[in-house]
Amino acid sequence: MMTKQVRYEALVKALHGDLYRYAYWLCHEKQVAEDLVQETFLRAWRALDSLKDEKAAKSWLITILRRENARRFERKRFEMSEYEEATITDTQAISNEQNIENDWLREKISQLPPEYSEPLVLQVLGGFSGEDIASMLNLNKNTVMTRLFRARNQLKEALEAKPENRKQGGL
Amino acid sequence: MDDLQFRRAILADPKSAEPNNAEQKHQNADLLAALQADPAKKQFAQELNQLDEKIKQALNIPVPEGLTEKLILRQTLASHQIQKRKTRVHLALAASVAILGGLLFNFMQFSSAYSNLGDYALAHVYHEQTSFANNSKNRVTLTSLNQKMAAFDGNFSDSLGELIFADYCRFDGMKSLHLVFQGKTSPVTVFVVPKNDQLSFSTEFNDKNLYGESLAFKHSNVIVVADENESLQQWQQNISNNIAWTI
């Protein structure tokens, strides 16, 4: 009993940040992301005995979270495309040069099609390899690499086009 | 490796251009060679790494304060509820076991291990055999015997013989009267037992050493157990002649 508790708390402390960020980039809403993380960890707690390899914990949790997210859409299919404003405005409270840049990039990332942004988040934030991502998303590795390439390419192009955009008052 | 391939590889994974990416080193040999050969490619890889750094910073949104505590709290509450459910189950189990235990105890206590009067009477006599000697000087008077018989609404008009012992006892859980008379060679035991459905009536019974006969009266059975030297018929005759039931 105690050791399970200790394991769980260690898991929460080590991975709740990564998981929350991943959830956020999946659903683009802070509250929903938090709920997803809560639901995920609750399920993880119940199934903790099935986690044998601690190194696999992160991808295990991400798999649970993806399933939870999918379940969310089974429950209600609407409420999809209204995230843009919320995403941008609520992170703009403290503004300096770096933050403005970040916010701009965040907007661009959230405008990426989800099939592009998800592998990108997993790769950059989660530190997963192409193979890992492929197995987590049930895709083959080439597809994943192509999507990563397109995701970065779009961001790079957007970034290169940015100065003009700014002069026009931003997109 | 041509330029397009190179750009695709770098864009798909800028880290693959890092020389110390040990895991995929052999796959990256081409890439690294191309990188070293062409400064423009090196430049491109560096830009992409910078872009990735920016992406990483952008993705690195702040985590809500106290999320850890919330997660632990929710789990604690959830497992507390499971605990409570478990205790309820345990309690129910314990109660079931207690009830079963009670039933079993009742069954053992009040059900008979013997199916008929004879078996039980023999067992009873053997059990108390050592307590009574045929030459015992103890005598019980007819008066005190009849006082006890009153509980069975019965009365002896005359003494049946030398009464060594007379007292109530439990005859298979029923209050009954246990009489021991002096016999020819060994004591003769007489039971006065209220009628009961649990034990089937057996008129005559015996084993290697002892013989018994039962006599059924209206409310009670009278059982005589003695060795082969006694005439059980005589005893039964005496009892029938002497006993009087008030009801």
Side-chain angles (χ1 to χ4, degrees):
Chain A
M1 198 64 203
M2 206 49 223
T3 49
K4 191 181 173 188
Q5 183 73 31
V6 170
R7 273 179 90 197
Y8 176 79
E9 285 183 18
L11 212 61
V12 168
K13 280 177 187 144
L15 298 174
H16 78 282
D18 282 348
L19 220 63
Y20 171 78
R21 290 189 187 103
Y22 174 77
Y24 176 83
W25 289 110
L26 212 58
C27 67
H28 304 279
E29 273 177 75
K30 287 182 167 183
Q31 196 48 54
V32 178
E34 202 174 316
D35 291 349
L36 276 176
V37 173
Q38 297 236 10
E39 227 24 70
T40 303
F41 271 104
L42 209 57
R43 276 181 193 276
W45 159 257
R46 291 191 197 118
L48 199 58
D49 293 330
S50 71
L51 176 67
K52 298 285 179 251
D53 183 6
E54 303 289 335
K55 273 179 268 173
K58 196 157 149 188
S59 60
W60 181 65
L61 286 169
I62 283 176
T63 310
I64 300 176
L65 195 140
R66 292 188 82 236
R67 219 179 295 141
E68 280 305 312
N69 189 47
R71 206 165 277 149
R72 189 166 68 93
F73 287 109
E74 282 166 22
R75 284 199 292 266
K76 40 181 183 176
R77 291 169 190 280
F78 35 92
E79 207 183 4
M80 266 289 290
S81 53
E82 341 168 15
Y83 55 77
E84 280 166 85
E85 270 176 323
T87 321
I88 307 151
T89 47
D90 58 12
T91 45
Q92 230 158 15
I94 331 151
S95 293
N96 56 40
E97 192 82 13
Q98 185 61 51
N99 271 335
I100 293 167
E101 170 107 11
N102 278 347
D103 288 337
W104 182 86
L105 199 55
R106 269 173 205 154
E107 192 190 335
K108 292 291 160 224
I109 294 170
S110 61
Q111 282 167 1
L112 287 174
E115 62 267 32
Y116 290 178
S117 63
E118 198 177 357
L120 188 69
V121 171
L122 287 172
Q123 188 189 45
V124 176
L125 213 53
F128 289 108
S129 72
E131 280 97 346
D132 292 340
I133 298 168
S135 74
M136 263 185 265
L137 303 186
N138 285 324
L139 296 168
N140 78 42
K141 198 200 163 190
N142 285 337
T143 314
V144 171
M145 295 324 268
T146 306
R147 287 183 184 178
L148 285 167
F149 153 73
R150 290 202 180 132
R152 273 203 189 76
N153 210 19
Q154 283 189 18
L155 290 178
K156 189 169 173 291
E157 275 165 12
L159 207 59
E160 276 157 9
K162 189 179 155 198
E164 294 97 74
N165 287 345
R166 252 191 187 162
K167 271 171 218 157
Q168 288 162 18
L171 251 182
Chain B
M1 180 175 267
D2 66 29
D3 195 49
L4 190 67
Q5 265 182 314
F6 177 81
R7 289 177 77 92
R8 276 189 74 102
I10 294 290
L11 276 164
D13 187 5
K15 286 215 163 54
S16 62
E18 285 174 7
N20 52 359
N21 195 342
E23 205 181 304
Q24 323 169 312
K25 214 165 198 169
H26 59 283
Q27 287 175 6
N28 295 342
D30 294 0
L31 204 75
L32 290 173
L35 206 64
Q36 292 306 321
D38 187 347
K41 282 180 179 159
K42 202 167 185 175
Q43 169 83 22
F44 181 75
Q46 271 174 0
E47 275 176 31
L48 256 295
N49 265 313
Q50 277 168 13
L51 174 68
D52 243 37
E53 201 46 50
K54 281 183 190 165
I55 294 174
K56 193 170 187 173
Q57 274 181 19
L59 290 178
N60 219 345
I61 50 148
V63 174
E65 248 176 81
L67 184 58
T68 318
E69 288 74 13
K70 271 191 210 167
L71 291 171
I72 292 172
L73 176 70
R74 252 195 95 176
Q75 170 269 318
T76 314
L77 292 177
S79 66
H80 178 68
Q81 267 174 347
I82 292 169
Q83 205 74 21
K84 254 172 41 189
R85 228 174 301 153
K86 270 191 189 155
T87 4
R88 270 204 295 267
V89 169
H90 287 164
L91 205 67
L93 268 175
S96 311
V97 168
I99 288 170
L100 266 178
L103 285 176
L104 197 69
F105 178 77
N106 258 327
F107 183 74
M108 305 250 288
Q109 191 75 349
F110 299 111
S111 75
S112 43
Y114 303 94
S115 57
N116 64 61
L117 275 181
D119 289 352
Y120 188 85
L122 285 175
H124 197 128
V125 171
Y126 281 122
H127 181 69
E128 288 174 359
Q129 205 170 31
T130 48
S131 319
F132 309 110
N134 201 30
N135 53 9
S136 169
K137 294 284 177 282
N138 254 349
R139 288 295 177 270
V140 181
T141 60
L142 185 63
T143 326
S144 89
L145 168 62
N146 279 333
Q147 271 170 9
K148 294 194 166 79
M149 271 304 282
F152 297 91
D153 302 322
N155 191 53
F156 285 106
S157 54
D158 200 0
S159 179
L160 297 171
E162 297 295 332
L163 186 56
I164 303 171
F165 170 89
D167 214 338
Y168 299 118
C169 71
R170 297 237 144 244
F171 190 92
D172 196 30
M174 293 173 287
K175 187 185 174 187
S176 54
L177 195 57
H178 187 167
L179 311 176
V180 181
F181 292 93
Q182 198 172 51
K184 285 176 183 140
T185 48
S186 67
V188 177
T189 309
V190 175
F191 295 107
V192 180
V193 187
K195 277 209 171 141
N196 174 282
D197 301 332
Q198 276 189 43
L199 295 175
S200 65
F201 187 79
S202 42
T203 329
E204 285 183 42
F205 51 89
N206 68 282
D207 66 2
K208 275 178 278 172
N209 306 310
L210 292 173
Y211 295 78
E213 259 186 55
S214 314
L215 212 63
F217 293 94
K218 199 175 176 191
H219 298 291
S220 308
N221 295 321
V222 176
I223 304 159
V224 184
V225 180
D227 65 21
E228 52 187 352
N229 298 322
E230 301 288 337
S231 160
L232 289 176
Q233 240 174 339
Q234 187 60 52
W235 276 97
Q236 289 289 16
Q237 189 70 47
N238 279 347
I239 291 166
S240 303
N241 293 342
N242 268 312
I243 208 160
W245 304 99
T246 46
I247 300 171

